[in-house]
Amino acid sequence: QVQLVESGGDLVQPGGSLRLSCAASGGDFGRFKMTWYRQAPGKEREWVAVITIGSNINYPPSVKAEGRFTISRDNAKNTVYLQMNNLQPKDTAVYYCQATWGRDEYWGQGTQVTVSS
């Protein structure tokens, strides 16, 4: 059974940075497409970054336009990262990572990011 554990969430001031990590265990990490999602209070979960098996990267248009988030993966460490810069209050959300391979998908428990002065 694949397990995903997110970490790195915190309370930060506007303009600050965070790097989220998602550590995977129990599966062949290199086979998974990894996606970061976030869910703000009262809103639907939305994807913010994806990195494929071949390290192809994509972001939704709104995230790509701002250029503040960067996804990466280290297959040797079974970990995917989300670097977030110039954080703004609108980035406040619980951030989740998802691993997918074919029809199989796995989720972590989420990590809270709060951006506030």
Side-chain angles (χ1 to χ4, degrees):
Q1 182 71 12
V2 175
Q3 292 187 324
L4 303 175
V5 179
E6 300 97 333
S7 61
D10 205 345
L11 169 64
V12 296
Q13 293 187 345
S17 297
L18 285 175
R19 188 177 80 156
L20 306 183
S21 300
C22 172
S25 61
D28 185 354
F29 180 76
R31 300 174 63 181
F32 289 107
K33 178 178 72 173
M34 301 299 297
T35 308
W36 281 100
Y37 288 79
R38 67 183 178 186
Q39 188 166 20
K43 295 188 177 181
E44 293 186 356
R45 192 172 296 190
E46 61 177 356
W47 74 282
V48 295
V50 61
I51 185 166
T52 68
I53 298 168
S55 292
N56 292 312
I57 291 170
N58 202 8
Y59 306 93
S62 58
V63 173
K64 188 173 184 178
E66 293 185 342
R68 298 184 293 113
F69 291 4
T70 303
I71 189 171
S72 62
R73 68 189 296 162
D74 186 337
N75 289 343
K77 295 183 178 181
N78 291 350
T79 301
V80 63
Y81 304 98
L82 184 67
Q83 177 68 42
M84 305 187 295
N85 299 325
N86 190 21
L87 283 161
Q88 301 171 16
K90 67 179 181 179
D91 298 317
T92 295
V94 178
Y95 285 72
Y96 300 89
C97 67
Q98 178 203 49
T100 54
W101 170 249
R103 294 183 178 181
D104 297 332
E105 69 174 42
Y106 305 91
W107 291 87
Q109 83 291 344
T111 186
Q112 176 71 48
V113 172
T114 302
V115 186
S116 176
S117 56

